[in-house]
Coordinates of all heavy atoms in Angstrom, one line a residue:
R12 N 58.1 26.9 44.5 CA 59.5 26.5 44.8 C 59.6 25.2 45.6 O 60.7 24.9 46.1 CB 60.3 27.7 45.6 CG 60.4 28.9 44.7 CD 61.0 30.0 45.5 NE 61.4 31.1 44.7 CZ 62.5 31.3 44.2 NH1 63.3 30.3 44.2 NH2 62.8 32.3 43.4
T13 N 58.4 24.5 45.8 CA 58.5 23.3 46.5 C 57.9 22.2 45.6 O 57.0 22.4 44.8 CB 57.7 23.3 47.8 OG1 56.3 23.4 47.5 CG2 58.1 24.5 48.8
S14 N 58.3 20.9 45.8 CA 57.7 19.8 45.1 C 56.3 19.5 45.4 O 55.5 19.1 44.6 CB 58.6 18.5 45.2 OG 58.7 18.2 46.6
Y15 N 55.9 20.0 46.7 CA 54.4 19.8 47.0 C 53.5 20.9 46.3 O 52.3 20.7 46.3 CB 54.3 20.0 48.5 CG 54.1 18.7 49.3 CD1 54.7 18.6 50.6 CD2 53.4 17.6 48.8 CE1 54.6 17.4 51.3 CE2 53.3 16.4 49.5 CZ 53.9 16.3 50.8 OH 53.8 15.1 51.4
L47 N 66.0 33.3 59.8 CA 66.2 33.1 58.3 C 66.3 31.6 57.9 O 67.2 31.0 58.6 CB 67.5 33.8 58.0 CG 68.0 33.8 56.6 CD1 67.1 34.4 55.7 CD2 69.4 34.4 56.4
R48 N 65.4 31.1 57.1 CA 65.4 29.7 56.7 C 66.1 29.7 55.3 O 66.1 30.5 54.6 CB 64.0 29.2 56.6 CG 63.2 29.3 58.0 CD 61.8 28.9 57.6 NE 61.0 29.2 58.9 CZ 60.7 28.2 59.8 NH1 61.3 27.0 59.7 NH2 60.0 28.4 60.8
V49 N 66.7 28.4 55.2 CA 67.5 28.2 53.9 C 66.5 27.2 53.1 O 66.1 26.2 53.5 CB 68.7 27.6 54.1 CG1 69.6 27.5 52.8 CG2 69.5 28.1 55.3
L50 N 66.3 27.7 51.8 CA 65.6 26.9 50.9 C 66.5 26.2 49.9 O 67.3 26.9 49.3 CB 64.5 27.8 50.2 CG 63.7 27.1 49.1 CD1 62.6 26.1 49.8 CD2 62.9 28.1 48.3
G51 N 66.4 24.9 49.6 CA 67.1 24.3 48.6 C 66.2 24.1 47.5 O 65.5 25.0 47.0
G52 N 65.9 22.8 47.0 CA 65.0 22.4 45.9 C 63.5 22.4 46.5 O 62.7 22.2 45.6
G53 N 63.4 22.5 47.8 CA 62.0 22.4 48.3 C 61.4 21.1 48.2 O 60.2 20.9 48.1
T54 N 62.2 19.9 48.1 CA 61.7 18.6 47.8 C 61.5 17.8 49.1 O 61.2 16.6 49.0 CB 62.6 17.9 46.8 OG1 63.9 17.6 47.4 CG2 62.7 18.5 45.5
N55 N 61.8 18.4 50.2 CA 61.6 17.7 51.6 C 60.9 18.6 52.4 O 61.2 18.6 53.6 CB 63.0 17.3 52.1 CG 62.9 16.2 53.0 OD1 62.2 15.2 52.8 ND2 63.6 16.2 54.1
L56 N 60.0 19.3 52.0 CA 59.5 20.5 52.7 C 58.0 20.7 52.5 O 57.5 20.6 51.4 CB 60.2 21.8 52.0 CG 60.2 23.0 52.8 CD1 61.0 22.9 54.2 CD2 61.0 24.2 51.9
L57 N 57.4 20.9 53.7 CA 55.9 21.4 53.6 C 55.9 22.8 54.2 O 56.1 23.0 55.4 CB 55.1 20.4 54.4 CG 53.6 20.8 54.5 CD1 52.9 20.8 53.2 CD2 52.8 19.8 55.4
V67 N 66.3 32.4 52.5 CA 67.5 32.6 51.7 C 67.5 31.4 50.7 O 67.4 30.3 51.1 CB 68.8 32.9 52.4 CG1 69.2 31.8 53.3 CG2 69.9 33.2 51.4
L69 N 70.0 29.6 47.8 CA 71.3 29.6 47.2 C 71.4 29.2 45.8 O 72.4 28.7 45.2 CB 72.2 28.7 48.1 CG 72.3 28.9 49.6 CD1 73.3 28.2 50.3 CD2 72.4 30.4 49.9
E85 N 78.8 23.4 44.9 CA 78.2 24.5 45.8 C 76.8 24.1 46.2 O 76.3 23.2 45.4 CB 78.1 25.8 45.0 CG 79.5 26.5 44.8 CD 79.4 28.0 44.2 OE1 78.9 28.0 43.1 OE2 79.9 28.8 44.9
A86 N 76.2 24.6 47.2 CA 75.1 24.0 47.8 C 73.9 24.2 46.9 O 72.9 23.4 46.9 CB 74.8 24.8 49.2
G87 N 73.8 25.3 46.1 CA 72.6 25.5 45.3 C 72.6 24.7 44.1 O 71.6 24.7 43.3
A88 N 73.6 23.9 43.8 CA 73.6 23.0 42.5 C 72.5 21.9 42.6 O 72.3 21.4 43.6 CB 75.0 22.4 42.4
F90 N 71.1 18.5 42.6 CA 71.8 17.3 43.1 C 71.7 16.2 42.0 O 72.8 15.5 41.8 CB 71.0 16.8 44.4 CG 71.8 15.7 45.1 CD1 73.0 15.8 45.6 CD2 71.2 14.5 45.3 CE1 73.7 14.7 46.1 CE2 71.8 13.4 45.9 CZ 73.1 13.6 46.3
A107 N 74.4 5.1 44.2 CA 73.5 5.0 45.4 C 72.6 6.2 45.5 O 71.6 6.2 46.3 CB 74.3 4.9 46.7
L108 N 73.0 7.3 44.8 CA 72.4 8.6 45.0 C 71.4 8.9 43.8 O 70.9 10.0 43.7 CB 73.4 9.7 45.1 CG 74.5 9.4 46.2 CD1 75.6 10.5 46.1 CD2 73.8 9.4 47.6
A109 N 71.1 7.9 43.1 CA 70.2 8.1 41.8 C 68.8 8.4 42.3 O 68.3 7.8 43.2 CB 70.3 6.8 41.0
G110 N 68.2 9.3 41.6 CA 66.8 9.6 41.8 C 66.4 10.3 42.9 O 65.3 10.2 43.4
I111 N 67.4 11.1 43.5 CA 67.0 11.9 44.7 C 67.0 13.4 44.1 O 68.1 14.0 43.8 CB 68.1 11.8 45.9 CG1 68.1 10.4 46.2 CG2 67.7 12.8 47.0 CD1 69.3 10.1 47.4
P112 N 65.8 14.0 44.2 CA 65.8 15.4 43.7 C 66.3 16.5 44.6 O 66.6 16.0 45.8 CB 64.2 15.6 43.5 CG 63.6 14.8 44.4 CD 64.5 13.6 44.6
G113 N 66.3 17.7 44.4 CA 66.7 18.8 45.2 C 68.1 19.3 44.9 O 68.7 19.1 43.7
T114 N 68.8 19.9 45.9 CA 70.0 20.5 45.7 C 71.1 19.8 46.5 O 70.7 19.0 47.5 CB 70.0 22.0 46.2 OG1 69.7 22.0 47.6 CG2 69.0 22.8 45.5
V115 N 72.3 20.2 46.3 CA 73.4 19.5 47.1 C 73.3 20.0 48.5 O 73.5 19.1 49.4 CB 74.8 20.0 46.4 CG1 76.0 19.7 47.4 CG2 75.0 19.5 45.1
G116 N 73.0 21.2 48.8 CA 72.8 21.7 50.3 C 71.8 20.9 51.0 O 72.0 20.5 52.1
G117 N 70.7 20.7 50.3 CA 69.6 19.9 50.9 C 70.0 18.4 51.1 O 69.7 17.9 52.2
A118 N 70.7 17.9 50.2 CA 71.2 16.5 50.3 C 72.1 16.4 51.5 O 72.1 15.4 52.2 CB 71.8 16.1 49.0
L119 N 73.0 17.3 51.7 CA 74.0 17.3 52.8 C 73.3 17.4 54.1 O 73.6 16.6 55.0 CB 75.0 18.4 52.6 CG 76.0 18.2 51.4 CD1 76.8 19.5 51.1 CD2 77.1 17.1 51.8
V120 N 72.4 18.3 54.3 CA 71.8 18.6 55.5 C 71.0 17.4 56.0 O 70.9 17.0 57.2 CB 71.0 19.9 55.6 CG1 69.7 20.0 55.0 CG2 70.9 20.3 57.1
M121 N 70.3 16.8 55.0 CA 69.4 15.6 55.2 C 70.2 14.3 55.2 O 69.6 13.3 55.4 CB 68.3 15.5 54.2 CG 67.4 16.7 54.1 SD 66.5 17.1 55.6 CE 65.7 15.5 55.9
N122 N 71.4 14.3 54.8 CA 72.2 13.1 54.6 C 71.4 12.2 53.7 O 71.1 11.0 54.0 CB 72.7 12.4 55.8 CG 73.7 11.3 55.6 OD1 74.4 11.3 54.4 ND2 73.9 10.4 56.5
A123 N 71.1 12.7 52.5 CA 70.2 12.1 51.6 C 70.8 10.7 51.1 O 71.9 10.6 51.0 CB 69.8 12.9 50.4
G124 N 70.0 9.7 50.8 CA 70.4 8.4 50.3 C 69.3 7.4 50.4 O 68.1 7.8 50.4
G125 N 69.7 6.2 50.5 CA 68.8 5.0 50.5 C 69.5 3.8 50.9 O 70.6 3.8 51.5
H126 N 68.9 2.7 50.4 CA 69.5 1.4 50.8 C 71.0 1.2 50.4 O 71.7 0.5 51.1 CB 68.7 0.1 50.0 CG 67.3 0.2 50.5 ND1 66.8 0.2 51.8 CD2 66.1 0.2 49.7 CE1 65.5 0.2 51.8 NE2 65.1 0.2 50.5
G128 N 73.4 3.5 50.0 CA 74.4 4.4 50.5 C 73.8 5.9 50.7 O 72.7 6.1 50.3
E129 N 74.6 6.7 51.3 CA 74.1 8.0 51.5 C 75.3 9.1 51.2 O 76.5 8.7 51.3 CB 73.5 8.3 53.0 CG 74.3 7.6 53.9 CD 73.5 7.3 55.3 OE1 72.4 7.2 55.2 OE2 74.2 7.2 56.3
I130 N 75.0 10.3 51.0 CA 75.9 11.4 50.6 C 77.0 11.5 51.5 O 78.1 11.8 51.2 CB 75.2 12.7 50.2 CG1 76.1 13.7 49.7 CG2 74.5 13.3 51.4 CD1 76.6 13.4 48.2
V139 N 80.5 26.1 55.6 CA 79.2 26.6 56.1 C 79.3 28.0 56.6 O 80.5 28.4 56.9 CB 78.7 25.6 57.4 CG1 78.5 24.3 56.9 CG2 79.6 25.7 58.6
R159 N 69.3 10.1 57.6 CA 68.5 11.2 57.2 C 68.6 12.4 58.1 O 67.6 13.1 58.3 CB 67.0 10.9 57.0 CG 66.6 9.9 56.0 CD 67.0 10.2 54.6 NE 68.3 9.8 54.4 CZ 68.7 8.4 54.2 NH1 67.8 7.6 53.9 NH2 69.9 8.2 53.9
L163 N 74.5 19.6 60.5 CA 74.6 20.9 59.6 C 73.4 21.7 59.7 O 73.3 22.8 59.2 CB 74.9 20.3 58.2 CG 76.2 19.5 58.0 CD1 76.2 18.9 56.6 CD2 77.5 20.4 58.3
K164 N 72.2 21.2 60.3 CA 71.0 21.9 60.1 C 70.9 23.2 60.7 O 70.0 23.9 60.2 CB 69.8 20.9 60.5 CG 69.9 20.4 61.9 CD 68.7 19.4 62.1 CE 68.8 18.7 63.4 NZ 69.9 17.7 63.4
D165 N 71.7 23.6 61.6 CA 71.4 25.0 62.2 C 72.5 25.9 61.4 O 72.6 27.1 61.8 CB 71.8 25.1 63.7 CG 70.6 24.3 64.5 OD1 69.5 24.3 63.9 OD2 70.9 23.6 65.4
R166 N 73.2 25.4 60.5 CA 74.1 26.3 59.7 C 73.6 26.5 58.3 O 72.7 25.8 57.9 CB 75.5 25.4 59.6 CG 76.0 25.3 61.1 CD 76.9 24.1 61.2 NE 77.7 24.2 62.2 CZ 78.3 23.3 62.9 NH1 78.1 22.0 62.6 NH2 79.1 23.4 63.9
I167 N 74.3 27.4 57.6 CA 74.0 27.5 56.1 C 75.1 27.0 55.4 O 76.3 27.3 55.6 CB 73.9 29.0 55.7 CG1 72.6 29.6 56.6 CG2 73.5 29.2 54.2 CD1 72.2 31.0 56.2
I168 N 74.8 25.9 54.6 CA 75.9 25.1 53.9 C 76.1 25.9 52.6 O 75.2 26.3 51.8 CB 75.3 23.7 53.6 CG1 75.0 23.0 54.9 CG2 76.4 22.9 52.8 CD1 74.3 21.6 54.7
L169 N 77.3 26.1 52.4 CA 77.8 26.8 51.1 C 78.3 25.9 50.0 O 78.0 26.0 48.9 CB 79.0 27.7 51.4 CG 78.7 28.8 52.5 CD1 80.0 29.6 52.8 CD2 77.6 29.8 51.9
G170 N 78.9 24.8 50.5 CA 79.4 23.8 49.5 C 80.2 22.8 50.2 O 80.5 22.8 51.4
K194 N 63.4 2.1 42.1 CA 62.7 3.2 42.8 C 61.4 3.5 42.1 O 60.4 3.7 42.7 CB 63.6 4.5 42.7 CG 64.3 4.8 44.1 CD 64.9 6.1 44.0 CE 64.2 7.1 44.9 NZ 64.9 8.3 45.3
Q198 N 57.8 3.6 43.9 CA 57.5 5.0 44.6 C 56.8 5.8 43.5 O 57.3 5.8 42.3 CB 58.8 5.6 45.0 CG 59.5 4.9 46.1 CD 60.9 5.6 46.4 OE1 61.2 6.6 46.0 NE2 61.6 5.0 47.3
P199 N 55.9 6.6 43.9 CA 55.2 7.5 42.9 C 56.1 8.7 42.6 O 55.8 9.8 43.2 CB 54.0 7.9 43.7 CG 54.3 7.8 45.0 CD 55.5 6.8 45.2
L200 N 57.1 8.6 41.7 CA 58.0 9.7 41.6 C 57.6 10.8 40.8 O 58.1 11.9 40.9 CB 59.4 9.0 40.9 CG 60.1 7.9 41.6 CD1 61.3 7.6 40.9 CD2 60.4 8.4 43.0
H201 N 56.4 10.7 40.1 CA 56.0 11.9 39.2 C 54.9 12.7 39.8 O 54.7 13.7 39.2 CB 55.7 11.2 37.8 CG 57.0 10.8 37.1 ND1 58.0 11.6 36.9 CD2 57.3 9.6 36.8 CE1 59.0 10.9 36.4 NE2 58.6 9.6 36.3
G202 N 54.3 12.3 40.9 CA 53.3 13.1 41.5 C 53.9 14.2 42.3 O 55.1 14.4 42.4
R203 N 53.0 15.0 42.9 CA 53.5 16.1 43.8 C 53.6 15.6 45.2 O 52.7 15.4 45.9 CB 52.5 17.3 43.8 CG 52.5 18.0 42.5 CD 51.5 19.1 42.5 NE 51.7 19.7 41.1 CZ 50.9 20.7 40.7 NH1 50.0 21.2 41.5 NH2 51.1 21.3 39.5
S204 N 54.9 15.3 45.6 CA 55.1 14.7 46.9 C 56.5 15.4 47.4 O 57.0 16.2 46.8 CB 55.4 13.2 46.9 OG 56.7 12.9 46.5
A205 N 56.8 15.0 48.7 CA 58.1 15.4 49.2 C 58.8 14.1 49.6 O 59.6 14.1 50.6 CB 57.9 16.4 50.5
G206 N 58.6 13.1 48.8 CA 59.3 11.8 49.1 C 58.7 11.3 50.4 O 57.5 11.5 50.7
C207 N 59.5 10.4 51.2 CA 59.0 9.8 52.2 C 58.7 10.9 53.4 O 59.5 11.6 53.7 CB 60.0 8.8 52.9 SG 60.1 7.4 51.9
F243 N 54.5 8.0 51.0 CA 54.4 9.2 50.3 C 52.9 9.7 50.4 O 52.0 9.1 50.1 CB 54.7 8.8 48.7 CG 56.1 8.7 48.4 CD1 56.9 7.7 49.0 CD2 56.6 9.5 47.4 CE1 58.2 7.6 48.6 CE2 57.9 9.4 46.9 CZ 58.7 8.4 47.6
E277 N 60.1 13.0 58.6 CA 61.3 13.1 57.9 C 61.4 14.5 57.2 O 62.4 15.2 57.1 CB 61.6 12.0 56.9 CG 62.9 12.2 56.1 CD 63.2 11.0 55.3 OE1 63.0 9.8 55.7 OE2 63.6 11.1 54.1
I278 N 60.2 14.9 56.7 CA 60.0 16.2 55.9 C 60.2 17.3 57.0 O 59.9 17.1 58.1 CB 58.7 16.3 55.1 CG1 57.5 16.2 56.1 CG2 58.7 15.3 54.0 CD1 56.3 16.6 55.4
K279 N 60.5 18.5 56.6 CA 60.6 19.6 57.4 C 59.2 20.5 57.2 O 58.8 20.6 56.0 CB 61.7 20.5 57.0 CG 63.0 19.9 57.0 CD 63.5 19.4 58.4 CE 64.7 18.5 58.4 NZ 64.9 17.9 59.7
V280 N 58.7 21.0 58.2 CA 57.5 21.8 58.1 C 57.9 23.2 58.6 O 58.4 23.4 59.6 CB 56.4 21.2 59.0 CG1 55.1 22.1 59.0 CG2 56.1 19.8 58.7
W281 N 57.6 24.2 57.6 CA 58.0 25.6 57.9 C 56.7 26.4 58.2 O 55.7 26.2 57.5 CB 58.6 26.3 56.7 CG 60.0 25.9 56.5 CD1 60.7 24.9 57.1 CD2 61.0 26.4 55.5 NE1 62.0 24.9 56.6 CE2 62.1 25.8 55.6 CE3 60.7 27.4 54.4 CZ2 63.2 26.1 54.8 CZ3 61.9 27.7 53.6 CH2 63.0 27.1 53.8
Ligands
LIG301 C1 60.0 12.0 44.5 C2 60.9 12.2 45.6 C3 61.8 11.2 45.9 C4 62.8 11.4 47.0 N1 63.7 10.3 47.2 C5 64.6 10.5 48.2 C6 65.6 9.4 48.5 O1 65.4 8.4 47.8 N2 66.3 9.6 49.6 C7 66.3 10.8 50.4 O2 67.2 10.9 51.2 N3 65.5 11.7 50.0 C8 64.5 11.6 49.1 N4 63.7 12.6 48.8 C9 63.6 13.9 49.7 C10 64.4 15.0 49.3 O3 64.6 15.0 47.9 C11 65.8 15.0 50.0 O4 65.7 15.1 51.3 C12 66.7 16.2 49.4 O5 68.1 16.0 49.8 C13 66.2 17.5 49.9 O6 67.0 18.6 49.2 P1 66.3 20.0 48.9 O7 67.4 20.8 48.3 O8 65.1 19.9 48.0 O9 66.0 20.5 50.4 P2 64.8 21.4 50.8 O10 63.6 20.6 50.8 O11 64.8 22.8 50.1 O12 65.2 21.6 52.4 C14 65.2 20.5 53.3 C15 65.9 21.0 54.5 O13 67.3 21.3 54.3 C16 67.5 22.6 54.6 N5 68.5 23.1 53.6 C17 68.4 23.1 52.3 N6 69.5 23.7 51.7 C18 70.3 24.1 52.7 C19 71.6 24.7 52.9 N7 72.3 25.0 51.8 N8 72.1 25.0 54.1 C20 71.5 24.5 55.2 N9 70.2 24.0 55.2 C21 69.7 23.8 54.0 C22 66.3 23.3 54.6 O14 66.3 24.5 55.4 C23 65.3 22.3 55.1 O15 65.5 22.1 56.5 C24 62.7 12.5 47.7 C25 61.8 13.6 47.5 C26 61.0 13.4 46.5 C27 60.0 14.5 46.1

Side-chain angles (χ1 to χ4, degrees):
R12 294 177 169 274
T13 71
S14 51
Y15 258 146
L47 179 62
R48 299 171 185 273
V49 194
L50 178 69
T54 65
N55 202 44
L56 197 60
L57 176 63
V67 59
L69 305 191
E85 287 189 305
F90 191 62
L108 308 171
I111 302 177
T114 61
V115 169
L119 287 165
V120 77
M121 299 302 301
N122 191 19
H126 300 306
E129 45 202 22
I130 185 71
V139 301
R159 294 307 82 80
L163 299 169
K164 52 185 174 289
D165 295 325
R166 295 152 158 158
I167 298 184
I168 300 169
L169 299 172
K194 252 189 112 163
Q198 299 178 3
L200 296 186
H201 293 297
R203 289 178 177 178
S204 81
C207 288
F243 278 61
E277 179 171 320
I278 60 166
K279 306 291 174 198
V280 180
W281 284 7

